[in-house]
Amino acid sequence: MRISGLKTGFAVALTGFVALAAGGWKYAEGAQSVTLLNVSYDATREFYQSINDAFAADYLKKTGTQVTIQQSHGGSGKQALSVVNGLQADVVTLGLAWDIDAIERAGLLKHGWQAKFPDNSAPYTSTIAFLVRKGNPKHIHDWKDLLQPGVQVIAANPKSSGAARWVFLGLWGAVGGAKTYDLSTKEGLAASITDGNAAKDFPIYKNAAALAAVTALYKHVPVLDTGGRGATVTFAQKQIGDVLVNWENELYLATDEFGKDKFDIVYPSTSVLAEPPVAVVDSIVDKKGTRAVATAYLDYLYTPDAQDLAAQYHYRPRNIDIYKKYETTLPPVKLFTVDQAFGGWPRTQKTFFADGGVFDQIYKPTK
Amino acid sequence: MAGARKVIPGFRLTLGYTLFYLSLLVLIPLAALVLKTTQLSWSEFVATITDPVVVAAYQLTFGAAALAAIVNGLFGLIVAWVLVREPFPGRRYFDALIDFPFALPTAVAGITFSNLYLTDGWIGGFGDHAVTFLNGLAGHFGHPNALSAGALSWLDFPYSNTNTGIVIVLIFVGFPFVVRSVQPVLQEWDPQYEQAAYSLGASGATTFRRVIFPEIFPAWLSGVALAFARAIGEYGSVIFIASNIPGKSQIVPLQIVTKLDEFEPAQATAIGVVLLFFSLLILLGINGIETWSRRRSQAAV
């Protein structure tokens, strides 16, 4: 009796399981539902939560397909490494082009990925600015003020954080006198791209004042967090330091999260145009058969709706009409680009951040 | 030996299983680790592991772990003694609390300690908080500024983002090992030996040093060794409380993570291999002392 009861139970369970599996299979076969994984960096967490909802609704309306987008966030370099090591990302939306280059070098992306989408594959941009305690007690208005005696600066480690590399380049370019443009105009953008393509050598690398400034900066850094978000927490929550140097949108997030009455955002006179790029990971979408959705997802970032959303999350939209709407909260800053001032990421990486580069030299223990 | 009865049936099977299991979990990963470093040439390997920043990280990791192990050795012994020998109300609850650092995710320990020891944290700013509180109390009696602002600043312990902070979290994560190693030996300890020592006129200190301590020494040492080994590998809690400045306050595991961030996995494993080598060396040394002392105490009996 008991044994047959058990058998019956087994049979029922098995039938149920098979039915369930078959149903799931059929569901997938009808392509009614797709799951994408977007591997991104620290500062985009909140932005992509909104984008994903908006895109899923839009895509469902247009194609009748339900898209679920999973997100993964962390230091940009670490995220790229996870993808190289097998994290099945359909799309990557990282902090800087160098990190996506690393995925390309691992053979997961085709060469020329940065030309696949408009504007260097960076649908929104950002810049580096300062966050100070309310009333700006240490009178920090520009890059050189970070180096005043007694000023504690919170910045992340450029070895592991995309934001921190932009910070490094922002200071270097500002002190080294990089040529700046008004990138909120079409003419400014075009001029910067033309100059970048025309430039043959980049004397800014040999600028002694810039080297001295960068060397001095890290003497003012009491805590070197591994990621940009960690630096924000150190400054805003743990109350360490006099000024946070970070992504512009991260500064707004800190004021939104921890109180507008506590901090002021300060824009330096010149800064760097930070271009966080996006890419479809070729080898993974081809394997999973998600290329069309993944491409649609990244294309969506360029639509007016998404551009507007980007601006709401304090990213600088590429769409100039939408940017004009937000000009009061994202004030125009004279900017230089990595391509035009430094000749692109491979050169920058090799000189500044690679093993034995300028950053390593700064921290060589002197004995 | 030929006629010895086998305790575990199927000796070959069980031995085979043991070796297989150990290979899968320990030997093969270790071999893979060493193999990965062969991607580097010898000079690259040497350059990686002798880089001053990396050397500073070794010094910090081993130094902080050793300090934490010593503190744990001293206070773990006291705690174990009190828990076994001095009955007090609620002893069983305190006894259960000892294992807490085992159960708690180290990241939780990291953020907790790091917040406590911040400049205005509960412990970090204890003196200043106490001044505020006492002045508030005195204010009711008409003396709102009874104490000057910095009067109790010697009670501030702002150790977040310092290397002292690292030692504090390492003490926390290694604490149970010493207590849990010494406790059973103390529990089985027959007080008649110590009573014999007393009756022969030995003082309390001499009795402890000559009679009790030699007995618990091997267990105590292995507890210290475990606490030390645990501290060397600790990552989660340390990065929260350390300031992570290269050459000053970066631990070896963070160096490894940094190398991975730079897309240099071979260099990362090279540093890992050195860490492994030193850890093995130290554990072997401690094991040696333990065996030696056990033999010596057996010879004495």
Side-chain angles (χ1 to χ4, degrees):
Chain A
M1 268 308 273
R2 257 182 71 205
I3 287 186
S4 86
L6 199 68
K7 267 186 183 163
T8 317
F10 240 125
V12 168
L14 196 68
T15 318
F17 180 73
V18 167
L20 212 65
W25 178 254
K26 204 174 159 197
Y27 194 57
E29 203 180 31
Q32 295 298 303
S33 162
V34 188
T35 303
L36 289 184
L37 175 61
N38 174 8
V39 170
S40 194
Y41 62 103
D42 275 338
T44 57
R45 213 172 252 111
E46 295 77 13
F47 168 55
Y48 275 110
Q49 269 156 15
S50 298
I51 281 285
N52 292 347
D53 293 344
F55 170 72
D58 183 69
Y59 201 73
L60 184 65
K61 209 167 65 197
K62 282 188 182 143
T63 65
T65 302
Q66 181 78 47
V67 195
T68 312
I69 298 144
Q70 297 171 333
Q71 325 171 222
S72 163
H73 298 271
S76 188
K78 195 165 288 150
Q79 293 292 83
L81 188 71
S82 305
V83 174
V84 169
N85 286 342
L87 183 61
Q88 298 292 301
D90 300 274
V91 299
V92 283
T93 54
L94 294 179
L96 34 84
W98 177 254
D99 291 327
I100 300 186
D101 286 341
I103 302 174
E104 181 202 309
R105 282 197 304 279
L108 299 174
L109 267 175
K110 290 199 192 81
H111 189 65
W113 61 267
Q114 206 160 7
K116 291 249 177 81
F117 292 92
D119 303 321
N120 259 346
S121 281
Y124 43 84
T125 65
S126 189
T127 188
I128 297 296
F130 309 150
L131 191 68
V132 296
R133 310 262 172 228
K134 194 74 191 174
N136 200 354
K138 298 265 171 143
H139 310 293
I140 288 152
H141 302 288
D142 209 344
W143 290 99
K144 63 178 185 347
D145 298 327
L146 301 179
L147 311 176
Q148 285 169 17
V151 170
Q152 283 198 323
V153 182
I154 302 300
N157 187 340
K159 291 252 176 184
S160 50
S161 157
R165 286 183 211 181
W166 293 112
V167 168
F168 186 109
L169 296 178
L171 175 62
W172 191 288
V175 175
K179 192 179 172 200
T180 58
Y181 303 84
D182 180 1
L183 296 175
S184 60
T185 63
K186 285 202 163 64
E187 299 76 37
L189 200 60
S192 108
I193 292 169
T194 317
D195 287 359
N197 291 337
K200 286 284 171 286
D201 59 0
F202 300 90
I204 199 162
Y205 281 105
K206 297 194 184 71
N207 193 298
L211 177 62
V214 163
T215 308
L217 175 74
Y218 289 95
K219 301 242 187 312
H220 289 258
V221 176
V223 185
L224 204 62
D225 285 291
T226 52
R229 181 56 57 87
T232 304
V233 170
T234 298
F235 180 79
Q237 195 177 14
K238 297 189 176 176
Q239 305 276 329
I240 297 173
D242 303 304
V243 50
L244 168 70
V245 195
N246 212 333
W247 295 104
E248 178 183 34
N249 64 299
E250 196 65 14
L251 308 182
Y252 278 100
L253 182 90
T255 51
D256 292 346
E257 288 282 314
F258 297 100
K260 286 192 170 54
D261 52 331
K262 285 190 183 144
F263 310 108
D264 288 330
I265 295 174
V266 173
Y267 284 92
S269 58
T270 64
S271 192
V272 62
L273 176 79
E275 297 179 279
V278 300
V280 169
V281 185
D282 295 313
S283 69
I284 293 168
V285 290
D286 287 344
K287 195 173 68 187
K288 286 169 67 176
T290 50
R291 181 179 284 279
V293 195
T295 309
Y297 178 59
L298 294 188
D299 278 333
Y300 181 76
L301 294 171
Y302 291 90
T303 63
D305 287 350
Q307 291 281 299
D308 198 271
L309 214 48
Q312 287 173 33
Y313 282 90
H314 313 292
Y315 283 99
R316 295 178 173 243
R318 288 284 196 180
N319 183 322
I320 287 175
D321 296 333
I322 290 172
Y323 171 74
K324 290 292 175 202
K325 268 173 64 188
Y326 290 90
E327 212 166 14
T328 45
T329 53
L330 300 169
V333 183
K334 288 192 284 177
L335 298 168
F336 51 88
T337 68
V338 168
D339 288 342
Q340 150 250 322
F342 294 95
W345 273 108
R347 199 189 288 246
T348 314
Q349 177 70 26
K350 187 163 174 283
T351 314
F352 293 139
F353 310 120
D355 235 10
V358 171
F359 184 77
D360 276 351
Q361 293 304 322
I362 290 172
Y363 278 111
K364 273 276 180 272
T366 43
K367 255 181 212 167
Chain B
M1 268 298 156
R5 203 150 54 99
K6 294 209 172 86
V7 178
I8 303 175
F11 171 72
R12 274 162 198 243
L13 190 69
T14 43
L15 179 72
Y17 175 74
T18 306
L19 290 182
F20 172 73
Y21 199 71
L22 267 179
S23 304
L24 211 61
L25 283 174
V26 182
L27 296 178
I28 293 175
L30 286 186
L33 184 72
V34 175
L35 209 65
K36 183 89 185 172
T37 60
T38 56
Q39 287 180 2
L40 297 172
S41 72
W42 177 248
S43 62
E44 282 170 333
F45 179 78
V46 173
T48 303
I49 61 170
T50 56
D51 179 42
V53 172
V54 177
V55 172
Y58 288 126
Q59 286 169 347
L60 175 66
T61 297
F62 285 107
L67 262 176
I70 290 169
V71 173
N72 273 329
L74 185 65
F75 290 96
L77 185 62
I78 295 174
V79 169
W81 180 270
V82 170
L83 285 177
V84 173
R85 296 290 295 266
E86 324 281 349
F88 60 95
R91 179 168 71 159
R92 291 171 68 183
Y93 296 100
F94 281 98
D95 193 59
L97 261 186
I98 303 287
D99 288 329
F100 200 55
F102 278 155
L104 194 71
T106 53
V108 178
I111 52 168
T112 311
F113 276 83
S114 135
N115 284 332
L116 277 180
Y117 285 94
L118 281 173
T119 318
D120 62 349
W122 282 7
I123 303 180
F126 184 76
D128 297 341
H129 294 316
V131 166
T132 313
F133 173 75
L134 291 174
N135 278 345
L137 211 61
H140 291 291
F141 304 100
H143 301 284
N145 295 314
L147 289 164
S148 65
L152 296 177
S153 59
W154 52 278
L155 281 172
D156 288 343
F157 303 97
Y159 291 142
S160 270
N161 309 304
T162 66
N163 290 355
T164 312
I166 298 179
V167 176
I168 292 173
V169 289
L170 292 184
I171 291 173
F172 174 80
V173 298
F175 176 63
F177 289 99
V178 177
V179 181
R180 289 296 183 238
S181 307
V182 173
Q183 235 177 352
V185 185
L186 273 180
Q187 239 141 19
E188 281 169 33
W189 169 255
D190 190 343
Q192 72 180 14
Y193 293 110
E194 132 192 26
Q195 281 151 11
Y198 290 138
S199 67
L200 290 169
S203 69
T206 313
T207 310
F208 184 78
R209 191 165 54 83
R210 305 280 304 266
V211 180
I212 303 174
F213 192 67
E215 192 62 25
I216 57 177
F217 180 73
W220 176 79
L221 197 65
S222 74
V224 172
L226 285 172
F228 177 72
R230 176 78 184 76
I232 285 174
E234 180 54 24
Y235 177 74
S237 59
V238 174
I239 51 157
F240 284 103
I241 204 161
S243 54
N244 303 326
I245 304 285
K248 289 206 184 92
S249 48
Q250 278 190 333
I251 51 167
V252 180
L254 183 61
Q255 279 292 323
I256 294 175
V257 171
T258 307
K259 290 289 179 205
L260 290 176
D261 280 341
E262 289 170 30
F263 310 117
E264 299 280 4
Q267 291 194 1
T269 48
I271 299 172
V273 164
V274 176
L275 191 63
L276 186 76
F277 173 76
F278 279 113
S279 304
L280 275 180
L281 210 65
I282 289 163
L283 288 182
L284 273 179
I286 290 176
N287 253 323
I289 301 176
E290 208 185 306
T291 318
W292 166 78
S293 85
R294 196 167 276 150
R295 228 178 256 148
R296 205 178 63 133
S297 72
Q298 272 165 5
V301 169

